[in-house]
Structures are given as C-alpha cells and as structure tokens.
Amino acid sequence: MDHIEDTLQRLREAFNAGRTRPATFRAAQLRALGRFLQDNKQLLQDTLAQDLHKSAFESDISELILCKNEVDLALRNLQAWMQDKPAATNVLTKLDSAFIRKEPFGLVLIIAPWNYPLNLTLVPLVGALAAGNCVVLKPSEISKATEKVLAEVLPQYLDQSGFAVLLGGPQETEQLLEHKFDYILFTGSPRVGRIVMTAAAKHLTPVTLELGGKNPCYVDDNCDPQTVANRVAWFRYFNAGQTCVAPDYILCSPETQERLLPALQTAITRFYGNDPQSSPDLGRIINQKQFQRLRALLGCGRVAIGGQSDESQRYIAPTVLVDVQETEPVMQEEIFGPILPIVSVRSLDEAIDFINRREKPLALYAFSNSSQVVNQMLDRTSSGNFGGNEGFIYMTLTSLPLGGVGNSGMGRYHGKFSFDTFSHHRACLLSHAGLEKLKEIRYPPYTAWTQQMISWALASQSCTLL
Ligand code: NAD
C-alpha cells in the first residue's frame, strides 16, 4: 500500500470534478463490470477452484451469476433509482417542491473476506458504482488467486479515475483505515468489524458492517427427516461450510436427532459419494490456520458422521457431532467449516429461549411441517435473515436485503438496497423566490391568530407535488 495517499487523492479529485456522477458514466462502469465477468468466466472459475476447490457449479450459482444479476438489475433500473423521489408537503409548503435526492457519498471503501471472494467484492461494488461513488476495493489477502485477478484484471475494465484496488492484510488495512472515507462497507468477522467501526468513528464515517456468528437451525419433531437432511446438508457443506449464512448448528429433540442422523448420512453419501475426499463437488479449507482451527473442533462432543481430515489437502469430511456441550468451543465460536453439531432441546419454547439467550444471528432457520411452528420461530426471535423450510437460497434474490442485526452487523445491501446504502438521501425543498406575502404569516410579532393558523398548516400533511 505504498501509494495510498496518491490513490486516494486521485479518486477524490475525480469525484470533486463530478466525473462519476453522470448516469452515462455509471452505466458505462456497470457494463464494463459485466464484460469483466463475461470475458473472464473461465479464469474466475479457475481462481475460485484454486482458492477454495470450488466446483464450477458452486462458483456459478454463488458468485458469478449473482454478480451478473446485480449488474443487470442496476443497469435496468439505474435511471429510476437515480430519480428524485417526490415527498408530501403540508399547507405551509404547498406551493413548494419537496423531494429526496439520492446523491453519492464520495469516496467509498469496500473491504471483503475470502469465503466468497468475488461475490463479496463485486456485489457491493455494483451498488457503489451505480450510486455514483469513487471506490477503493480491498479484497482479502487470504484468497490469493482471486485477489490477484481483482488487482490485475478488473482495473483493465474500469475507469481508473474513479476506481482502485488496494492490497494488504490486517496491518495494511489498518493503515488504510486511518484515512478519511465517506462510506465504508466491511464484510468479515465481528472482531475486525469492531476495528473498522472504531477507525471509521474517528472521521464520523458511516459504515455498513456485514458480519458473522452462529446461525441456529431448528428442526421440529413434525418433519420429514430426509427432506430436512437434504436441505440442511447441502447448505452446511456448500463451499465446505465456509458460508456466513450457513446453518451453524441444529437444535432438535433427542428423538428427532435419532431420525435425522441416518438421513444426514444418506444425504452426504448421495451428494459426495462413499469417499467425500474424492468428490469434485466438495470444497477445501482456505488455509492451514483455518484447517487447524477446524480440526481442533472435531474433538468436541462425539463424532456421529465423518470426522476424517487430511492436512495435506486441507480436507475435512462432512461431519456431524452429537452430545455437544454448550461450553465447548464448537458451540462458542462460529464454525465456518463442514462441521454440524446437534444440540438437544425438549421443545420449541426451549429452542427459542436458547436462541434468544445468544447474540442475534445473521441467519436463522426453522424446519417443520407445521407453518405455525415456523411462524412462531419467526415471530419470537430476531436475525438478519430467516429461512423457513429452506436454507440460504434467499441470497439469490436481489429483491431481499442482506444484512445482520446486533452482533451480526448493521446496514444492508443487494439490489436496490445497495444503491440506497451507497447514496446519501438528501432532503430537498425548492421554493419560490417570490410570493413573500403568503409566507409573512410565520414571522414575528406572533399573535394568537397566526399561531393557530400555523399550527393548522403544519398539521396538514397534504399533497405530493409531482
Ligand atoms: P476477517 O474479519 O478476518 O477479514 C475480513 C477483511 O478484513 C479482510 O479483507 C482482511 O484483510 C481485513 N482485516 C483482517 N484483520 C484486520 C484488521 N486487524 N484490521 C483491518 N482489517 C483487517 O474475516 P474473514 O476471515 O476474511 O471472513 C470470515 C468472517 O466473515 C466470518 O465471521 C463470516 O461470518 C464473515 N462473513 C460475513 C458475511 C456477511 O455477508 N455478513 C459474508 C462472508 C463472511
């Protein structure tokens, strides 16, 4: 990060000159981003395979297609999103025009993690560019192959006056955060989220924090175990479990656990074969540090399924743990790997109590044949996202926001939510230069009559001037 100062100054000058504001410029950047994805599809699949042993299928549905959908949606709606939004007036301002203007913040910093290294850099980037900002992208230093492509290939597509990629790990990122940005979107752990927010506070820079945590998955006695097992296993072992919204642990009764275990074994064998290590569809752990951390978690509770590991390949088998104590590390930290503990609860009420005693999760799942049970879980808990009888397929919808609550983050993005996140909503009122006689009623000396008239005028939120 030798050239931080120069880079930031270049971007600020471009922003102050108004370069990134016109709709034509924004659309050109979005189209260029679309071309980057199209031209480099194979390269990107290869880099994701190199970083995480991601299959082309998983790369497509969780990274490339989602990025492309965001680009297409932003291009289709850019004009409408940029339009001033008329606001209602009262009698006092009846002849004026009130509206909300979405204006770019200025210089935006996007910091990304390694687990979906393309999606979590480019999807926020779409929103920041569409909103007319200059952007500094800081990819994760851990997903090295993707970092290289983002640093070397992506800038060939985007206008350099309004965009830069800066590289580095914790130390360099902390240096970067000493500088003033106008908005920061950070995706990563709650621990680093605190560091980012503390640094941002020094400049009063607003932040969106997309964090992680432990996502509960409640399975009701009234369910079809094989259907639940298929869905939970796919979402737990997708990307080798390195997904912020993956079900982190199951809560169910001991009886349901007995029915789920053979069903989970069937699902795992069906998905990854008798020897999951040789399956082309199962990812690998990103690095040795994460591998060692996860291998240590295999010692918690009792292994009911899987449990094998191979350090040379950073392979951890799809695993289910039972007899797990709440105090064990696997129930104390976000797992972020292909390990699924089952915790026994006696009832829905106990499950809800268990969830509500902990930090608010990023995602919460409930599986039941009874919609009442699913709705109770929805009504009596809080989480960033919620899946009833389904995993994180909601991530494919640009119509739903992604964002945590409490310890799992603040703010939201995806689709139009991204555009709104990266736009300052400026409250505007345009009045007439003349018509002063009509306005004189509000000036001193005040009388009981003018007070009464103004009170009435203020109380009447009447019309929207289009
Ligand atoms: P991380 O917090 O370690 O790193 C994220 C980013 O912060 C990286 O770019 C890294 O270089 C930078 N960073 C690391 N240490 C820093 C420091 N001391 N100061 C400044 N910057 C620093 O997270 P990770 O290991 O890359 O990703 C895993 C975490 O991200 C999990 O907790 C997961 O749940 C979360 N996550 C959340 C979402 C979401 O959408 N909410 C998505 C993916 C991952």
Side-chain angles (χ1 to χ4, degrees):
M1 292 207 184
D2 296 341
H3 309 297
I4 295 181
E5 301 274 356
D6 292 350
T7 303
L8 300 189
Q9 193 181 335
R10 168 167 60 80
L11 297 182
R12 278 223 178 273
E13 279 167 11
F15 183 76
N16 291 339
R19 180 154 178 79
T20 57
R21 279 185 187 244
T24 47
F25 182 88
R26 304 183 195 195
Q29 296 309 291
L30 293 170
R31 279 194 295 272
L33 198 47
R35 280 198 303 280
F36 165 75
L37 289 165
Q38 201 175 347
D39 296 352
N40 299 289
K41 184 172 179 197
Q42 187 62 53
L43 172 68
L44 292 166
Q45 284 176 344
D46 291 347
T47 57
L48 292 166
Q50 217 175 314
D51 280 331
L52 289 144
H53 196 254
K54 239 179 228 196
S55 62
F57 181 94
E58 292 196 2
S59 290
D60 275 4
I61 71 163
S62 64
E63 307 237 31
L64 290 154
I65 294 173
L66 299 192
C67 293
K68 185 178 180 306
N69 287 350
E70 291 278 341
V71 170
D72 292 347
L73 183 88
L75 275 169
R76 274 201 311 277
N77 293 285
L78 190 60
Q79 292 288 352
W81 291 350
M82 286 176 67
Q83 289 275 315
D84 291 340
K85 189 162 174 260
T89 51
N90 52 28
V91 169
L92 208 59
T93 52
K94 196 172 171 89
L95 298 176
D96 302 337
S97 159
F99 58 91
I100 298 165
R101 169 150 306 174
K102 311 276 179 69
E103 60 176 31
F105 277 103
L107 183 53
V108 165
L109 172 62
I110 295 169
I111 303 177
W114 49 262
N115 59 330
Y116 290 86
L118 202 62
N119 177 332
L120 298 170
T121 45
L122 298 193
V123 172
L125 179 63
V126 169
L129 293 175
N133 297 284
C134 288
V135 184
V136 171
L137 206 61
K138 211 304 285 175
S140 172
E141 74 288 5
I142 291 173
S143 38
K144 288 190 177 22
T146 312
E147 182 198 39
K148 191 166 186 295
V149 173
L150 290 172
E152 291 175 7
V153 185
L154 180 60
Q156 294 169 23
Y157 287 79
L158 297 177
D159 189 304
Q160 293 303 291
S161 62
F163 171 77
V165 179
L166 291 176
L167 304 180
Q171 200 188 340
E172 293 82 357
T173 312
E174 283 186 28
Q175 279 168 19
L176 181 61
L177 284 165
E178 285 170 15
H179 296 265
K180 181 174 164 60
F181 291 90
D182 300 305
Y183 202 95
I184 299 174
L185 184 142
F186 168 81
T187 307
S189 59
R191 180 186 69 80
V192 179
R194 284 185 177 82
I195 295 173
V196 171
M197 196 167 173
T198 304
K202 293 205 174 99
H203 300 288
L204 286 181
T205 298
V207 290
T208 290
L209 300 178
E210 298 283 340
L211 310 177
K214 291 185 80 62
N215 305 317
C217 175
Y218 175 68
V219 183
D220 188 29
D221 288 346
N222 179 8
C223 73
D224 172 44
Q226 195 55 60
T227 302
V228 175
N230 292 345
R231 295 181 192 179
V232 173
W234 189 49
F235 287 105
R236 170 72 283 188
Y237 303 122
F238 195 100
N239 198 26
Q242 299 162 113
T243 305
C244 57
V245 283
D248 187 273
Y249 60 92
I250 288 180
L251 288 171
C252 68
S253 68
E255 296 75 31
T256 295
Q257 175 179 310
E258 287 318 301
R259 294 158 70 216
L260 265 184
L261 281 175
L264 282 166
Q265 179 64 76
T266 302
I268 291 168
T269 309
R270 183 177 145 206
F271 298 169
Y272 307 112
N274 288 321
D275 173 22
Q277 189 166 3
S278 60
S279 165
D281 299 326
L282 187 66
R284 292 293 182 269
I285 307 309
I286 184 79
N287 60 17
Q288 278 297 329
K289 187 176 162 202
Q290 291 292 332
F291 174 83
Q292 298 299 347
R293 180 184 67 79
L294 286 163
R295 192 158 65 175
L297 294 184
L298 293 173
C300 299
R302 176 171 62 81
V303 172
I305 298 172
Q308 304 82 358
S309 62
D310 179 344
E311 186 170 353
S312 69
Q313 284 191 13
R314 298 192 308 278
Y315 164 77
I316 296 205
T319 295
V320 179
L321 300 176
V322 293
D323 302 336
V324 172
Q325 301 302 313
E326 277 186 60
T327 48
E328 290 185 278
V330 81
M331 285 309 295
Q332 295 289 321
E333 62 186 75
E334 180 180 1
I335 297 172
F336 223 53
I339 302 172
L340 181 65
I342 302 182
V343 176
S344 285
V345 285
R346 282 183 302 274
S347 64
L348 174 66
D349 284 346
E350 193 179 318
I352 290 172
D353 183 52
F354 187 96
I355 293 164
N356 288 340
R357 272 190 282 121
R358 287 166 172 72
E359 298 284 8
K360 289 183 182 176
L362 181 59
L364 199 160
Y365 303 99
F367 289 83
S368 175
N369 289 338
S370 157
S371 57
Q372 275 180 341
V373 168
V374 173
N375 280 322
Q376 277 213 50
M377 185 57 85
L378 176 57
D379 290 346
R380 294 168 58 194
T381 57
S382 177
S383 62
N385 311 303
F386 183 87
N389 287 313
E390 191 43 293
F392 51 82
I393 204 76
Y394 52 75
M395 297 283 282
T396 61
L397 300 176
T398 51
S399 52
L400 285 177
L402 173 66
V405 56
N407 199 62
S408 56
M410 60 184 72
R412 66 205 63 77
Y413 74 118
H414 279 193
K416 183 169 185 293
F417 300 98
S418 299
F419 181 86
D420 286 341
T421 284
F422 288 113
S423 300
H424 166 56
H425 296 214
R426 189 177 190 181
C428 304
L429 182 125
L430 303 185
S431 191
H432 294 266
L435 303 176
E436 181 62 2
K437 270 280 164 237
L438 286 176
K439 303 194 182 233
E440 279 182 358
I441 189 171
R442 59 199 175 165
Y443 302 142
Y446 305 130
T447 66
W449 183 79
T450 60
Q451 186 177 358
Q452 203 178 349
M453 290 304 289
I454 289 285
S455 304
W456 168 78
L458 285 177
S460 56
Q461 194 83 6
S462 64
C463 63
T464 305
L465 291 184
L466 296 171

